[in-house]
Amino acid sequence: MPALNMDYTIEQGSTFVLEFQVFDDLLQPLGLLDSYVNDEGTLMYEFTKYNARLKIKRTKYRDPELFVCGTTMNYIVQHGSSAGFVADGIYFVGGSTGAIRIVITSDSTASFKAGRYFYDLELVEDDDGEIVSKLLAGKFEVEAEIGRAHV
């Protein structure tokens, strides 16, 4: 299936957050995380065979990248939580609901030059070899920041 083509605008110096759900061929939420209850009775999550990666570039065909990130492995975000907004990354949200959250922090977007860029987001399944599915692709417009004085 081809990637969903979506264009986004980001404001320089602002945190960008995008959350969406991924479904399998049978229109069921794709289980990106496994869950279990540990010995203390706490619901725990662990990564299954999936990772994700995002690239933003000035042109489709040339390097360098403006921004690159992958699945953030240091913790897993609960659905509805504000956690994960302080670090750049791709987070798998809400257990087996197939939800993905992309976060680009204000510190990172402040370093972006205003203009038009291209991006793609890929889901990588590592099961006996790497299977790559492009989920999203499109244009990424960065609007110049005027609200903060630069000395």
Side-chain angles (χ1 to χ4, degrees), residues 3 5 18 30 38 41 46 49 58-59 72 77 108 115 118 123 137 141 144:
N5 192 329
L18 174 66
L30 186 63
N38 68 10
E46 62 186 17
K49 57 188 173 188
R58 177 60 94 177
T59 70
T72 301
V77 180
S108 291
F118 296 88
L123 185 66
E141 187 80 31

Side-chain angles (χ1 to χ4, degrees), residues 111-130:
S111 69
F112 295 177
K113 291 183 179 179
R116 179 172 289 158
Y117 298 87
F118 296 88
Y119 79 94
D120 65 19
L121 173 70
E122 297 173 329
L123 185 66
V124 181
E125 182 179 354
D126 190 8
D127 202 10
D128 281 337
E130 189 174 84

Side-chain angles (χ1 to χ4, degrees), residues 98-111:
I100 293 177
R101 177 185 296 166
I102 299 169
V103 176
I104 306 174
T105 63
S106 58
D107 287 342
S108 291
T109 65
S111 69

Side-chain angles (χ1 to χ4, degrees), residues 11-150:
E11 297 168 334
Q12 196 178 43
S14 295
T15 301
F16 176 81
V17 179
L18 174 66
E19 190 168 311
F20 60 94
Q21 197 168 12
V22 181
F23 296 91
D24 65 17
D25 293 337
L26 301 174
L27 299 180
Q28 298 299 312
L30 186 63
L32 300 171
L33 297 173
D34 285 333
S35 62
Y36 64 95
V37 177
N38 68 10
D39 294 338
E40 290 82 39
T42 305
L43 181 62
M44 304 294 291
Y45 294 101
E46 62 186 17
F47 289 90
T48 59
K49 57 188 173 188
Y50 295 100
N51 285 299
R53 57 188 178 214
L54 170 73
K55 283 187 183 178
I56 302 173
K57 297 169 67 170
R58 177 60 94 177
T59 70
K60 290 182 180 183
Y61 309 106
R62 300 171 91 189
D63 287 332
E65 289 102 3
L66 171 69
F67 182 81
V68 177
C69 71
T71 310
T72 301
M73 300 297 247
N74 55 357
Y75 65 98
I76 296 164
V77 180
Q78 296 289 332
H79 182 65
S81 165
S82 61
F85 293 137
V86 296
D88 292 324
I90 301 171
Y91 303 87
F92 293 162
V93 181
S96 61
T97 63
I100 293 177
R101 177 185 296 166
I102 299 169
V103 176
I104 306 174
T105 63
S106 58
D107 287 342
S108 291
T109 65
S111 69
F112 295 177
K113 291 183 179 179
R116 179 172 289 158
Y117 298 87
F118 296 88
Y119 79 94
D120 65 19
L121 173 70
E122 297 173 329
L123 185 66
V124 181
E125 182 179 354
D126 190 8
D127 202 10
D128 281 337
E130 189 174 84
I131 300 170
V132 179
S133 302
K134 190 175 291 191
L135 299 177
L136 294 173
K139 296 179 187 82
F140 211 91
E141 187 80 31
V142 177
E143 290 184 348
E145 177 181 36
I146 58 171
R148 194 182 314 177
H150 296 281

